[in-house]
Amino acid sequence: MPHSNAIRTLLSGYFPELTEDQLQKYEQMGELYKDWNQKINVISRKDVDMLGVHHILHSLGIAKVVQFPQHTSVMDVGTGGGLPGLPLAVMFPDVKFHLVDSIGKKIHVVQEIARELHLHNVTATHTRAEQVRDKYDFVVSRAVTRLANFWPWVMNSFKKTGLAHEGLYYLKGGDLQEELEESGLITQLYNLNDYFSEEFFETKKVVYVPLKR
């Protein structure tokens, strides 16, 4: 299948450390998203052909700016169909991922894809971030809302173990200056076009919100 080979070639170019097993999982993930998308609109229909770049590689932008240490935990808030959590869970098999979303049918898709890919490090729950009582080393999300709205949902979700690089990693696009000022948070910006050459990443960023010491 040319489509899944494209995902393999794309990812192995940017992440040469990926194992054969991981590359196979990403290929299979691409196929599963295409299948599910015909039943439930998990990702926008026009985007399905660009799944590798717009969804899987975009999610893995976080892995270019932070390496989650073994045995840490990550919550993905507003995961939708499992992004960025599922691609990151394949990349970091020794890290526990908890994917949450308020839309039940999307969480069902996430659970099914995680099961098909044998991702034992993934739990997916139909809930809102504010209702999750567990604490995590890291929180990730893909542009659910403005940062000023988002941060209060997750600010109490951290373990605060003093781990290096702990905090929120937020995938966003466009000009973020006003939004970051509005949030009043200390942030670090990483431009994904520093890591990936596709035109799609020209304005895409990872916003890192470190925990206050």
Side-chain angles (χ1 to χ4, degrees):
M1 288 185 174
H3 181 85
S4 58
N5 280 345
I7 289 180
R8 166 182 289 257
T9 308
L10 177 75
L11 297 182
S12 57
Y14 285 122
F15 297 95
E17 69 279 13
L18 287 170
T19 65
E20 177 60 27
D21 177 62
Q22 287 171 312
L23 289 169
Q24 282 178 0
K25 281 188 164 72
Y26 286 124
E27 286 185 344
Q28 193 184 350
M29 185 184 290
E31 298 303 326
L32 289 167
Y33 272 123
K34 283 202 305 189
D35 293 347
W36 274 105
N37 224 48
Q38 288 166 355
K39 303 173 217 170
I40 294 173
N41 206 0
V42 185
I43 49 185
S44 83
R45 293 271 150 89
K46 66 180 192 307
D47 247 8
V48 172
D49 291 336
M50 297 304 295
L51 191 91
V53 171
H54 290 189
H55 296 286
I56 298 179
L57 187 60
H58 188 206
S59 297
L60 294 177
I62 290 173
K64 283 292 187 190
V65 304
V66 63
Q67 291 288 303
F68 299 127
Q70 285 186 321
H71 314 306
T72 54
S73 57
V74 178
M75 178 167 63
D76 174 8
V77 175
T79 188
L83 302 157
L86 288 178
L88 289 169
V90 173
M91 178 75 74
F92 299 104
D94 299 318
V95 174
K96 282 197 162 57
F97 286 84
H98 185 193
L99 280 53
V100 303
D101 201 279
S102 57
I103 300 173
K105 65 182 182 181
K106 290 193 173 177
I107 283 296
H108 173 68
V109 173
V110 175
Q111 289 167 337
E112 288 300 310
I113 292 177
R115 189 177 59 77
E116 292 259 7
L117 296 177
H118 306 294
L119 296 179
H120 305 298
N121 58 333
V122 170
T123 327
T125 312
H126 175 204
T127 185
R128 294 180 182 280
E130 314 92 290
Q131 295 165 330
V132 176
R133 292 285 164 256
D134 292 336
K135 306 283 185 203
Y136 302 87
D137 298 296
F138 306 95
V139 173
V140 297
S141 186
R142 189 158 82 149
V144 176
T145 178
R146 287 176 80 84
L147 198 53
N149 302 336
F150 185 84
W151 181 249
W153 300 348
V154 300
M155 58 192 272
N156 297 316
S157 299
F158 294 99
K159 285 184 183 173
K160 297 187 177 154
T161 53
L163 195 69
H165 317 302
E166 66 188 341
L168 167 66
Y169 292 84
Y170 204 48
L171 288 163
K172 277 236 112 164
D175 180 2
L176 301 177
Q177 189 181 347
E178 185 220 347
E179 177 176 340
L180 297 182
E181 284 172 7
E182 171 198 42
S183 75
L185 296 164
I186 294 168
T187 56
Q188 287 172 22
L189 278 187
Y190 297 89
N191 294 310
L192 288 180
N193 66 355
D194 290 344
Y195 307 98
F196 304 139
S197 58
E198 286 76 10
E199 194 181 327
F200 174 76
F201 295 107
E202 237 164 64
T203 64
K204 299 284 190 288
K205 299 173 181 72
V206 177
V207 181
Y208 169 46
V209 183
L211 294 189
K212 290 195 179 79
R213 290 280 175 263

